[in-house]
Amino acid sequence: MTSIVIPAHNEGRVIGRLLDALLADSPSSGTDIVVVCNGCTDDTARVAGARGDRVRVVEIPTPSKHTALRVGDEHARGFPRLYVDADVVVGAADVRALTGALAADPDLLAAAPGRDIPPTGCAWPVRAYYRVWQRLPAVREGLFGRGVIAVTEEGHKRIAALPPLMADDLAASLAFGPGERRVVEAARVVVRPPRTWSDLIRRKVRAATSSAEFERFQAAREAGAGAAPSARTGASDLRALLRADPELLPAVLVFAAAALAARRGARKAIRDQDFSTWLRDESSRQ
């Protein structure tokens, strides 16, 4: 049986659309869905529970995604297992495409869907930023930034060994080699972007902070073992995009400005080793 674990902290506004997509066109015996409401002060549990007995709701007092994922594992019944963020939308057919890819290739341990980022309602700098971001090789090939990752039982052992990190999806992606992970483009997930420049910078400050924490973890783990895998964007990546499409120059300049702003915004948190303050983007949840 396929299990889906959904950690949810105050996601009452959006979790219904995800659950409706997962339940549509899905046989009642085919999917085990566990929603772990962690530290919720809104109606997340009520909204999830209203979807019927095909959705099991577990409530814990601690507002922690890592803890919610581990509790979800304790309640989940089978493999392949999907971990899905509550604010994305992925459907039952997409789940089947992911689990089918895992079943078809014994070397494949982890998979994620192709990513759709609807620009409607977003300020033009946000749209420009994502024009560049979506074309970066690491972003196209990595499993992070999608809000969905599916793993086999063996793949689950790999990510279960990871420590609690803010960049949990990046850590999960880089836990697998290129031959062990795959983006399954036949499966799709809708990831709603921030709507305003300030919301984008908040999200990117969080990303910069979490990346710094992850790199410290990597450095400690890989000391003396050679270079660790990385998903960091370099100037060479941006130059390559411009060589392929010079008309991207205005968007690349916006991307660079956002990256610089995020680095400045993350300095204090990194200096203080504050890797627990979650700068949540509410605009994408409207």
Side-chain angles (χ1 to χ4, degrees), residues 12-45:
R13 287 186 293 173
V14 296
I15 195 169
R17 69 191 183 194
L18 167 62
L19 293 173
D20 289 344
L22 289 172
L23 294 170
D25 188 33
S26 175
S28 58
S29 60
T31 308
D32 166 43
I33 301 175
V34 182
V35 176
V36 184
C37 301
N38 57 103
C40 290
T41 58
D42 70 349
D43 61 349
T44 300

Side-chain angles (χ1 to χ4, degrees), residues 149-162:
I149 183 170
V151 294
T152 64
E153 188 167 5
E154 187 63 31
H156 171 262
K157 294 176 183 177
R158 188 86 57 89
I159 62 173
L162 294 170

Side-chain angles (χ1 to χ4, degrees), residues 131-217:
R131 280 187 68 199
V132 174
W133 186 78
Q134 292 188 87
R135 299 184 186 207
L136 296 171
V139 173
R140 293 199 316 267
E141 298 164 10
L143 306 185
F144 60 88
R146 302 171 190 274
V148 179
I149 183 170
V151 294
T152 64
E153 188 167 5
E154 187 63 31
H156 171 262
K157 294 176 183 177
R158 188 86 57 89
I159 62 173
L162 294 170
L165 294 166
M166 187 184 290
D168 59 304
D169 57 345
L170 176 59
S173 178
L174 294 180
F176 303 99
E180 297 175 322
R181 67 174 187 255
R182 181 182 305 162
V183 175
V184 180
E185 294 292 344
R188 309 301 300 177
V189 61
V190 177
V191 181
R192 285 176 168 77
R195 295 189 174 189
T196 69
W197 177 255
S198 60
D199 287 309
L200 173 65
I201 297 306
R202 282 172 60 83
R203 185 181 288 196
K204 301 319 295 181
V205 167
R206 184 184 75 204
T209 305
S210 61
S211 293
E213 180 195 26
F214 177 67
E215 287 170 357
R216 291 187 182 193
F217 159 71

Side-chain angles (χ1 to χ4, degrees), residues 118-129:
T120 304
C122 296
W124 74 264
V126 175
R127 297 196 302 270
Y129 176 90

Side-chain angles (χ1 to χ4, degrees), residues 52-157:
D53 57 9
R54 294 180 60 191
V55 177
R56 291 186 290 135
V57 178
V58 180
E59 295 186 71
I60 61 174
T62 307
S64 164
K65 182 178 180 182
H66 181 79
T67 301
L69 290 171
R70 299 291 76 82
V71 170
D73 276 334
E74 293 172 2
H75 287 81
R77 293 169 176 161
F79 289 95
R81 186 164 300 170
L82 281 77
Y83 300 96
V84 181
D85 289 350
D87 60 332
V88 304
V89 178
V90 64
D94 306 298
V95 170
R96 290 193 292 270
L98 290 171
T99 58
L102 291 174
D105 185 348
D107 295 324
L108 196 62
L109 303 181
R115 182 195 299 109
D116 295 324
I117 302 180
T120 304
C122 296
W124 74 264
V126 175
R127 297 196 302 270
Y129 176 90
Y130 280 101
R131 280 187 68 199
V132 174
W133 186 78
Q134 292 188 87
R135 299 184 186 207
L136 296 171
V139 173
R140 293 199 316 267
E141 298 164 10
L143 306 185
F144 60 88
R146 302 171 190 274
V148 179
I149 183 170
V151 294
T152 64
E153 188 167 5
E154 187 63 31
H156 171 262
K157 294 176 183 177

